[in-house]
Amino acid sequence: MAGRLASGRLGEHFVAGVATPGSGAAFTAIDPTTGAAVGPTYHEATAAEVERAAQAAGAVAGAFAAAGGPTRAGLLRGIAGRIEALGDELLACYGQETALPRARAEAELARTLGQLRRFADLAAEGAWVDARIDRALPQRQPVPRPDLRRMLVGIGPVVVFGASNFPLAYSVAGGDTASALAAGCPVLVKGHPAHPGTSELVGRAIAAAVHDAGLPGGVFSLLHGASHELGAALVRHPAVAAVGFTGSHRGGRALMDLAAARPEPIPVFAEMGSMNPVVVLPEALANRGAAIGKQVAASALLASGQFCTSPGLILWIDGPGAAELREALRDHLGAAVGAPTVHPSIRDGYVAALGEVLRLPVQVESRGQTAPAATAVCPTLLTAAPAALLGNPRLRSEIYGPAVLAVACADAAELRAVLQSLHGHLTGTVHGEGRDFASHGAALAVLRRKVGRLLANGVPTGVEVCGAMVHGGPYPAAADARFSAVGPTSILRWARPMCWQDWPAELLPPELRDDNPLGIRRTVDDVVV
């Protein structure tokens, strides 16, 4: 395999680290600007390839988990180095398959490399396992206490679904893959058909890094495919222990149902999008309504609305500044030119979602222009009365793309009622000044229960990769609101607690030995040392 690393895009899978042409149904990437096919031709992974990849992952899971944090850190750094070395080849392929600008590709690549190296540091340092030791108390009355030692261990092979809108940071070497490898879990990636060439280049780099590290090929597989059947086969395979997904609510829920129906159910950590409500309180509305409208419109237009944190709903209490806010939203969205989406399926989904909403009591306030591109979408501002939102659940659900629904409430009670009707979202943003926050504490308390991240006087687009970040939220924004899909704490999705009771000292994991050979932070008899 090593002799083929410079060959670029060949239409290959990586089944347990082995480059494989594939023999299933053929498909290609699509140039979002022209609609033309982008070579090479890829083939849907077959049932036999799924079986080989999953069996290999299951066979090496124990050894990879036992390899230790420093070994996994070396692998992650090796992956980052291999991807970085791809240089212009990777960036050019990214642009060709997505029509996203070079600056976006460079920023996403930097984020991807940063995530890999951050998880390498986390694995090397080792304290993420949360080691806890409660030493034996043989003299305790009335019942002696045994020696108990607990730490987090990798859950086993993880299936990662590549996301359409982030071909690097949420795909083959994205945060799910990086965090799972850091936890000691083999990874099987189901590549997204919107960018198979980008996926192959990155997959080739990962397979090479696994080989460089002297690890078994079963640590990583990349399987291409455009069908739902491929994803279902991976989720159903008995060797798979968990699933990571970023995408639509329909797709995430289907995976959750598949995983729950297995003879041995497994967790699905799905991030499924959001309307990301923006609330503008009265003093902020009066003082800077126009500026807020411009700011929210610009956020909604980023990458044609192809961010899971794009603001899709804006609420305010009618009063001074409302006309200026509405006018700014109308003007900026109406003057915008809709750029291409990364794949025809996203354009089709946007058009279908708008069609559903337009059959309900809403008004089209403004429409932008559509770029001369095969997958371009038209920015749209919609308005609706609070009663329409309360009476129609579809108006409280995401339109994935550059659409914003604006709702003017009569008073604070109506604003609270609308917020109470919302389901879970990734973010909630509040614009306020002066006494706004204190005067509307009841509404803000409702919003806090609905979101994973609460912002003041900003926009929800832009997700920092750091320890304090929460990229998740109450269902259906995410499958499990207790976890973040971004940042170092996302490693906790791929781990489970395990306890050793009265275990021979020489057979304990290094993290739990009395001499603490790794020098990690631990809790011993309820004291952090």
Side-chain angles (χ1 to χ4, degrees):
M1 185 193 72
R4 308 185 68 190
L5 298 181
S7 56
R9 289 177 278 171
L10 299 174
E12 293 180 326
H13 306 275
F14 294 92
V15 179
V18 177
T20 307
S23 57
F27 69 97
T28 67
I30 301 296
D31 184 325
T33 303
T34 66
V38 175
T41 297
Y42 290 84
H43 293 271
E44 187 91 12
T46 64
E49 288 159 348
V50 169
E51 183 66 22
R52 291 205 311 273
Q55 288 283 10
V60 305
F64 184 49
T71 296
R72 299 196 291 273
L75 170 61
L76 290 162
R77 293 188 182 111
I79 292 171
R82 285 278 187 175
I83 293 173
E84 194 167 34
L86 292 170
D88 283 344
E89 181 184 14
L90 178 61
L91 296 173
C93 180
Y94 176 110
Q96 186 181 28
E97 292 185 327
T98 67
L100 293 169
R102 174 85 175 206
R104 161 66 189 272
E106 291 173 342
E108 192 181 336
L109 175 59
R111 174 174 172 165
T112 303
L113 299 175
Q115 287 179 154
L116 287 162
R117 289 169 174 147
R118 181 151 193 168
F119 279 109
D121 292 342
L122 191 73
E125 192 274 336
W128 74 271
V129 300
D130 190 25
R132 295 173 178 268
I133 298 173
D134 288 298
R135 291 177 290 198
L137 297 174
Q139 307 306 318
R140 190 183 68 176
Q141 295 298 327
V143 179
R145 185 175 78 185
D147 185 89
L148 297 165
R149 299 174 186 237
R150 163 190 157 143
M151 60 182 276
L152 297 175
V153 298
I155 200 170
V158 172
V159 169
V160 171
F161 284 78
S164 63
N165 59 338
F166 278 86
L168 295 173
Y170 283 87
S171 290
V172 179
D176 285 353
T177 295
S179 55
L181 292 174
C185 299
V187 171
L188 303 102
V189 176
K190 192 273 186 186
H192 198 283
H195 42 76
T198 303
S199 297
E200 182 187 356
L201 290 171
V202 173
R204 193 178 299 280
I206 298 175
V210 171
H211 180 267
D212 293 343
L215 291 166
V219 165
F220 171 77
S221 290
L222 166 64
L223 300 171
H224 297 288
S227 73
H228 298 310
E229 289 76 17
L230 172 58
L234 286 165
V235 173
R236 289 191 180 110
H237 198 282
V240 170
V243 177
F245 173 82
T246 297
S248 69
H249 175 257
R250 183 172 64 178
R253 184 58 202 238
L255 297 178
M256 292 169 66
D257 292 345
L258 280 171
R262 288 171 36 133
E264 180 187 351
I266 59 173
V268 174
F269 298 100
E271 186 266 281
M272 296 177 283
S274 172
M275 285 189 86
N276 304 296
V278 177
V279 177
V280 185
L281 296 175
E283 290 191 42
L285 181 67
N287 293 336
R288 50 188 176 89
I292 293 170
K294 180 179 179 181
Q295 186 181 20
V296 171
S299 177
L301 291 167
L302 283 173
S304 295
Q306 296 174 102
F307 288 119
C308 48
T309 53
S310 184
L313 173 65
I314 183 167
L315 308 162
W316 65 85
I317 299 171
D318 244 342
E324 291 81 359
L325 170 61
R326 189 190 295 255
E327 182 178 355
L329 287 167
R330 182 178 63 243
D331 290 351
H332 285 87
L333 288 167
V337 178
T341 55
V342 301
H343 195 262
S345 63
I346 294 179
R347 176 208 54 209
D348 295 346
Y350 179 72
V351 172
L354 277 178
E356 293 170 1
V357 168
L358 290 175
R359 290 193 286 270
L360 301 173
V362 301
Q363 296 77 45
V364 177
E365 192 83 5
S366 68
R367 287 185 184 272
Q369 305 171 56
T370 303
T375 66
V377 290
C378 182
T380 304
L381 175 64
L382 305 168
T383 59
L389 205 73
L390 292 170
N392 295 277
R394 181 62 185 89
L395 295 182
R396 304 194 296 270
S397 299
E398 178 184 37
I399 299 173
Y400 186 67
V404 176
L405 176 62
V407 178
C409 299
D411 51 31
E414 193 165 58
L415 174 64
R416 285 198 305 274
V418 171
L419 292 174
Q420 187 63 56
S421 75
L422 299 180
H423 53 55
H425 294 273
L426 296 171
T427 74
T429 301
V430 180
H431 285 267
E433 295 182 5
R435 291 189 52 78
D436 274 338
F437 291 96
S439 300
H440 295 274
L444 301 186
V446 172
L447 182 61
R448 182 177 66 84
R449 295 195 297 272
K450 304 288 185 176
V451 303
R453 177 164 56 110
L454 197 59
L455 297 88
N457 297 319
V459 292
T461 42
V463 179
E464 189 68 30
V465 182
C466 63
M469 175 53 62
V470 173
H471 190 60
Y475 183 86
D480 193 329
R482 296 172 298 173
F483 298 93
S484 173
V486 172
T489 62
S490 65
I491 196 173
L492 301 177
R493 296 172 297 167
W494 320 123
R496 64 179 179 87
M498 183 167 176
C499 177
W500 284 257
Q501 180 170 330
D502 290 331
W503 204 248
E506 67 276 10
L507 299 180
L508 285 167
E511 293 89 345
L512 298 179
R513 294 176 190 164
D514 283 337
D515 59 349
N516 193 10
L518 302 180
I520 63 172
R521 183 182 66 256
R522 308 189 298 184
T523 301
V524 179
D525 294 333
D526 296 326
V527 177
V528 178
V529 295

